[in-house]
Amino acid sequence: LVLARGLPFHSVCVHHLVPFFGHARIAYLPGAKLVGISGLARLLELYARRPQLQERLTSQIAEAIMDGLNPDGVAVVIEAEHLCMTMRGVQKPGSRMVTSAMRGLFKQSSVTRGEFLSLVGGS
């Protein structure tokens, strides 16, 4: 299991054109190919730089890793604060949205998924 957690990012909500920001946790179960931790951070930045939906961002990262590395599994969890919730609308500062994408063994095996979730629990 290769895991990068606490990866900071910022993006812009495609619906409201205001920022959202947070941290990502990205893990994969290597197959024949490996990528360095900085590669995972760069991938996050690549997708976060464009106007985004957090749900789409999470899935895009998981799919890119699956397509590029062909690992046995990928797990991505993103937790972010959306300024559209803080500055406008319901005005609930500090509220955070969590999204996840599980592929391969992380989706199929509750043991593998549980290991990942226990490692990212408090980060």
Side-chain angles (χ1 to χ4, degrees):
L1 171 65
V2 176
L3 169 65
R5 64 180 187 179
L7 297 171
F9 76 95
H10 61 276
S11 190
V12 173
C13 173
V14 72
H15 285 142
H16 305 105
L17 298 178
V18 295
F20 67 96
F21 58 92
H23 290 88
R25 301 151 181 109
I26 304 171
Y28 72 100
L29 296 167
K33 296 180 186 176
L34 295 171
V35 67
I37 298 300
S38 64
L40 298 176
R42 283 191 195 102
L43 183 64
L44 170 64
E45 282 301 311
L46 173 76
Y47 286 110
R49 283 187 182 163
R50 57 184 81 162
Q52 273 290 7
L53 294 174
Q54 183 175 332
E55 302 92 314
R56 186 177 301 140
L57 175 62
T58 307
S59 291
Q60 287 173 330
I61 293 167
E63 289 301 320
I65 295 169
M66 286 299 287
D67 293 344
L69 297 179
N70 196 27
D72 293 332
V74 173
V76 179
V77 172
I78 294 179
E79 184 173 346
E81 182 171 342
H82 292 249
L83 292 186
C84 55
M85 288 278 292
T86 300
M87 297 173 20
R88 53 178 299 286
V90 295
Q91 297 183 353
K92 298 294 181 193
S95 60
R96 309 208 28 102
M97 184 168 120
V98 179
T99 52
S100 70
M102 306 288 171
R103 305 288 188 270
L105 286 178
F106 286 105
K107 188 172 186 173
Q108 300 162 3
S109 168
S110 61
V111 173
T112 306
R113 185 172 48 256
E115 178 185 359
F116 167 71
L117 293 173
S118 72
L119 289 170
V120 301
S123 63

